[in-house]
Amino acid sequence: MNNNNYLCVIPARMGSTRLKHKNLRELIPGLSLIDQAISTAKDFDICVSTDQPELMKLSDDVLVVERPKNISDSKSQITPSIKHALIEIENRLSKKYDFVIVLMPSIAARSNGILKKMIKILEERKNISTIMTAAICPPWIWKISNNNNAQTTWFPNQPKISQDLPVYLAEHAAIIINKRQVVIDNKKWAFPLCLYELPSWSVGLDIDDETDLNHAKLFFPSMQDVLEDWTGKSHMIDTISTIKND
């Protein structure tokens, strides 16, 4: 593994409306959400993309890119900011990367150990365009709408017992690694895609508001070592379609 081929981009927009300056909030004393992402990416080139660089107090080896206002509001997709950061850093350092790692600070279910295992898969299977984490989830999903209706993954059939059902994974992008061209094409991921399993409880470290953060503070300290040693199954995906009733 040549770490020089990888750029890690940590998107850290500061305008969260549900949790002010969310990315700077601490998971444990002395470890903010951005710090946790940086520790995951140790040994790689790291760039923080933010709309408020003046709030960043980072070590000198972490590069900072100021994100333009037109891709920094609450409705902006994340992909343009990743592409912007990649091009900015490549121009600044006069080099090109082969792969881009994306670590969203507010999804803290990850570790350096998981990242390196995912890179090993990526380098063994040269055809993969993207490898991304996804959390194991129960197969009996209820989607609740605003008009008192619901949709499920099984109705009108009788729900099967779990051992008779395929694996269900929830997109939980704690770590996304893309080939450079995927990012240049402004895509979040591309086929062939590999999904790397995280445990079902990892969704408890997806932080959107104060309640999520308080839960994560209780949860994260006991899960750090588990995440560092975690080995998940991987699933190669070449095509996708809408879920049919199981």
Side-chain angles (χ1 to χ4, degrees), residues 7-10 37-38 41-42 44-48 61-64:
L7 173 66
C8 175
V9 179
I10 300 172
I38 291 171
K42 65 183 179 182
F44 296 92
D45 288 353
I46 303 172
C47 157
V48 173
D61 57 340
V62 177
L63 302 169
V64 177

Side-chain angles (χ1 to χ4, degrees), residues 6 15 35 37 53 73 79 115 118 124 134 136 139 144 147 156 163 181-182 205 222 225 227:
Y6 292 82
D35 293 334
D73 62 30
T79 47
L115 175 58
M118 292 172 69
E124 288 174 350
I136 301 166
I144 309 299
N147 56 359
Q163 56 262 42
Q181 192 58 48
V182 177
L205 293 173
S222 60
D225 290 341
L227 287 168

Side-chain angles (χ1 to χ4, degrees), residues 25-33 35 216-218 220-222 224:
R25 300 290 295 273
E26 291 186 343
L27 265 177
I28 56 177
L31 185 78
S32 69
L33 291 170
D35 293 334
K217 285 179 176 179
L218 294 173
F220 182 74
S222 60
Q224 280 183 286

